[in-house]
């Protein structure tokens, strides 16, 4: 009796389609392009200024003149938008964060100049008070040191309006106050700024992956042992993210975001499946730092891992990713 005649071959051979590059490419479900990338940048006062961020190798804080040149390259690489974060000098920080809505503040000036130089590049601004408060929290504190929701929203409105008036294409509230999206939408409508988009950081978790960012914008020192758990979400929660997203959409958000990224891809998938709206994810500073540490030690292959990490956001359902790797990834995509 032949052994072969009794042996059953596998009924499915999934390896057949993996056999050659042509069939692997044909069956690929998700792809990454430069149009999926949003590049977060840190802007400094001054001219010709470039400062490295120690915990984010390869990321620099740039003065506006240098930022424009870098943004021009990003635009040429097909990156649709940049997200602007200011490094605010200590002397402009205060309890009530008045600098946040200064019409000629660093962000407002940067937006005007960037839109003039590169009208086709989308400019996203961060609406939150942490770069401007002397204590580093995202809002206005009450007598007990608690971030007061409605007083904070009042200030966020002024900040969002000043960004939109400067020409920001998208305002992105990252503060997690209740009701802020609806209030911002109402003010924008009243001021006839009907096309200013709102990208809501809807499900923003109280994460310890933000450490390097707080170094980059210089809020870490003021914040001390950071605790934003009275407004940012508990990493143990998933349903609550859907609730937050649904509220922000009802209040007038055009795009929603989940943040951080890689440890929260299940949330991205749930949001996309349940709400089917433009959904973004932020591969945050700590995720960037972890990758860079591994790359610098030759523990991981740099280019391959960057592209894999970003493609996985697409598979999870994200329409786009905010990532400090944006330019590097776009360059790789242009040559691959
Ligand atoms: C501030 C803000 C933070 C980030 C974006 N906007 C930090 C925080 O909430 O403490 C984090 C981005 C990153 O870690 O890359 N509202």
């Amino acid at each position: 009796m032949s052994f072969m005649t009794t042996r059953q071959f596998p009924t499915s051979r999934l390896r057949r389609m993996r056999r050659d590059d042509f069939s692997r490419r044909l069956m690929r479900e998700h792809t990454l392009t430069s149009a999926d990338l949003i590049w977060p940048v840190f802007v400094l006062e001054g001219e010709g200024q470039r400062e490295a961020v120690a915990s984010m190798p390869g990321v620099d804080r740039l003065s506006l003149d240098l930022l424009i040149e870098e943004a021009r390259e990003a635009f040429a690489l097909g990156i649709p938008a940049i997200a602007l974060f200011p490094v605010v000098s200590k002397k402009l920080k205060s309890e009530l964060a008045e600098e946040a809505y200064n019409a000629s503040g660093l962000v407002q000036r940067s937006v005007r100049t960037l839109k003039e130089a590169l009208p086709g590049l989308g400019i996203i601004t961060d609406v939150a008070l942490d770069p401007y408060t002397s204590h580093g929290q995202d809002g206005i504190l009450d007598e007990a040191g608690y971030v007061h929701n409605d007083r904070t929203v009042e200030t966020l409105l002024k900040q969002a309006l000043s960004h939109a008036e400067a020409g920001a294409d998208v305002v992105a509230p990252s503060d997690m106050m209740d009701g802020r999206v609806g209030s911002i939408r109402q003010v924008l409508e009243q001021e006839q700024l009907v096309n200013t988009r709102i990208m809501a950081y809807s499900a923003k978790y109280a994460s310890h992956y933000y450490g390097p960012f707080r170094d980059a914008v210089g809020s870490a020192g003021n914040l001390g042992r950071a605790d934003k758990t009275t407004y940012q979400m508990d990493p143990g929660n998933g349903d609550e993210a859907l609730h937050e997203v649904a509220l922000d959409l009802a209040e007038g958000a055009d795009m929603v975001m989940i943040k951080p990224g890689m440890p929260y891809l299940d949330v991205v998938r749930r949001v996309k499946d349940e709400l089917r709206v433009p959904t973004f994810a932020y591969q945050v500073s700590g995720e960037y730092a972890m990758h860079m540490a591994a790359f610098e030690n030759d523990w991981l292959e740099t280019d391959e891992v960057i592209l894999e990490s970003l493609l996985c956001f697409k598979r999870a359902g994200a329409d786009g990713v905010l990532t400090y790797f944006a330019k590097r990834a776009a360059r790789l995509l242009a040559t691959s």
Side-chain angles (χ1 to χ4, degrees), residues 258-314:
I258 289 85
K259 177 185 174 188
M262 294 171 68
Y264 295 83
L265 291 183
D266 59 312
V267 181
V268 174
R269 169 50 61 199
R270 289 182 68 186
V271 165
K272 193 63 180 177
D273 282 350
E274 298 235 1
L275 295 147
R276 308 214 162 265
V277 296
T279 302
F280 293 80
Y282 198 144
Q283 185 182 50
V284 300
S285 57
E287 299 174 68
Y288 176 84
M290 293 193 317
H291 278 108
M292 289 307 292
F295 299 154
E296 292 190 342
N297 281 290
D298 280 324
W299 292 337
L300 287 174
E301 292 167 274
T302 306
D303 297 353
E304 294 78 0
V305 170
I306 290 175
L307 294 180
E308 179 181 334
S309 76
L310 297 172
L311 175 60
C312 292
F313 281 91
K314 295 292 299 292

Side-chain angles (χ1 to χ4, degrees), residues 156-194:
L156 294 172
L157 290 181
K158 298 184 203 166
Q159 183 185 26
L161 184 58
S162 74
H163 292 176
E165 282 174 340
D169 301 291
V170 184
V171 293
S174 73
D175 55 286
M176 290 300 279
M177 295 303 115
D178 289 321
R180 89 283 205 214
V181 171
S183 302
I184 291 171
R185 178 57 78 209
Q186 190 185 344
V187 166
L188 292 174
E189 289 284 336
Q190 276 165 8
E191 300 300 318
Q192 318 286 314
L193 292 158
V194 299

Side-chain angles (χ1 to χ4, degrees), residues 4-15:
M4 283 309 290
T5 56
T6 58
R7 187 182 179 280
Q8 287 233 313
F9 55 79
T11 47
S12 299
R13 290 188 186 273
L14 293 185
R15 290 187 60 198

